[in-house]
């Protein structure tokens, strides 16, 4: 088995079970698990609060929301979102949601088109997850730099070191104690920051 192969969790929001049954039949269980069903936007919101999904497929209209608002509300997550609407509404709905990263698919459609759309969502979700990891790593690195800089300025103020000496001191302490520069800097901040 490929170590890089992901398994995608999916929530299907549809009043009728037909789309859900089709997706369960189309999608390999080893790649898409769990695949769960919600019959309304309200039920979907409850499931989304209590669980985490990689993909969201909305079969509009729903009894308590057309589906557009649910898609827009979830668009700030890394979840891949597919909104399926009647062909005559496709242009107006796509115009509303496409800038938020929501895919729109006109219906009726073939099983192959739905399968292809879900595969595109999966690829997009993988890309977004990688970008989230990079963003998190960059935020951590920036936080480390801020903490180390704060510690350097405290050494400059309190021990009258030059900036280069303060930098060298933190680096040397990190090597000698086998601690990260951040941990050394946090110790300096605890010592000198009043």
């Amino acid at each position: 088995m490929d170590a890089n192969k992901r398994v995608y969790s999916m929530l299907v929001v549809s009043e009728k079970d037909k789309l859900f049954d089709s997706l369960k039949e189309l999608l390999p269980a080893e790649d898409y698990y769990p695949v769960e069903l919600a019959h309304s936007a309200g039920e979907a919101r409850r499931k989304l609060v209590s669980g985490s999904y990689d993909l969201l497929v909305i079969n509009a209209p729903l009894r308590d929301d057309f589906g557009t608002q649910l898609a827009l509300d979830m668009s700030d997550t890394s979840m891949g979102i597919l909104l399926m609407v009647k062909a005559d509404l496709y242009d107006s709905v796509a115009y509303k949601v496409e800038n938020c990263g929501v895919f729109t698919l006109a219906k009726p459609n073939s099983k192959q088109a739905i399968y292809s759309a879900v595969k595109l969502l999966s690829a997009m979700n993988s890309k977004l997850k990688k970008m989230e990891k990079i963003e998190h790593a960059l935020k951590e690195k920036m936080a480390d730099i801020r903490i180390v800089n704060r510690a350097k300025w405290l050494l400059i103020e309190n021990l009258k070191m030059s900036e280069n000496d303060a930098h060298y001191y933190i680096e040397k302490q990190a090597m000698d104690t086998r601690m990260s520069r951040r941990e050394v800097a946090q110790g300096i901040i605890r010592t000198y920051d009043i």
Side-chain angles (χ1 to χ4, degrees):
M1 183 172 179
D2 185 4
N4 293 326
K5 186 74 172 160
R6 286 207 44 222
V7 177
Y8 300 93
S9 58
M10 178 188 297
L11 179 61
V12 179
V13 188
S14 179
E15 279 193 15
K16 299 184 176 108
D17 293 354
K18 185 178 178 185
L19 175 66
F20 176 73
D21 294 337
S22 292
L23 286 171
K24 290 278 286 184
E25 179 184 312
L26 276 173
L27 302 171
E30 61 270 8
D31 295 338
Y32 296 90
Y33 181 83
V35 178
E36 297 182 4
L37 174 65
H39 288 103
S40 67
E43 183 182 352
R45 289 177 198 284
R46 286 188 294 279
K47 287 186 178 226
L48 289 163
V49 165
S50 64
S52 175
Y53 298 91
D54 299 311
L55 309 174
L56 176 64
V57 178
I58 304 169
N59 185 19
L62 303 170
R63 71 177 79 117
D64 57 347
D65 174 6
F66 180 76
T68 308
Q69 193 58 52
L70 176 62
L72 291 172
D73 289 347
M74 297 298 120
S75 68
D76 62 346
T77 68
S78 63
M79 195 173 4
I81 303 171
L82 175 64
L83 179 59
M84 299 175 63
V85 298
K86 290 183 180 177
D88 59 333
L89 299 173
Y90 175 82
D91 287 331
S92 64
V93 172
Y95 179 77
K96 283 183 188 176
V97 299
E98 66 188 10
N99 286 339
C100 295
V102 175
F103 288 88
T104 310
L105 184 64
K107 60 181 186 179
N109 220 313
S110 68
K111 286 184 176 184
Q112 183 58 42
I114 294 170
Y115 179 77
S116 295
V118 170
K119 294 301 276 181
L120 285 170
L121 279 181
S122 302
M124 184 195 73
N125 179 263
S126 289
K127 183 85 165 172
L128 287 173
K129 293 286 186 189
K130 286 179 186 175
M131 296 303 289
E132 278 183 343
K133 284 181 183 176
I134 291 169
E135 178 188 21
H136 179 72
L138 287 173
K139 283 182 179 178
E140 282 296 311
K141 194 168 195 161
M142 287 172 47
D144 288 350
I145 290 169
R146 280 194 295 276
I147 290 169
V148 169
N149 282 341
R150 177 72 183 132
K152 281 197 299 190
W153 289 112
L154 286 170
L155 290 173
I156 291 167
E157 282 179 14
N158 292 290
L159 300 180
K160 308 301 183 219
M161 290 183 176
S162 69
E163 186 175 354
N164 285 339
D165 290 342
H167 180 79
Y168 177 77
Y169 176 82
I170 293 171
E171 291 283 333
K172 179 115 173 68
Q173 285 296 110
M175 278 193 294
D176 291 349
T177 60
R178 294 184 181 180
M179 296 170 63
S180 70
R181 290 176 38 214
R182 182 180 187 150
E183 291 170 318
V184 170
Q186 288 170 328
I188 292 167
I189 291 169
R190 280 192 298 273
T191 302
Y192 293 107
D193 201 8
I194 300 170

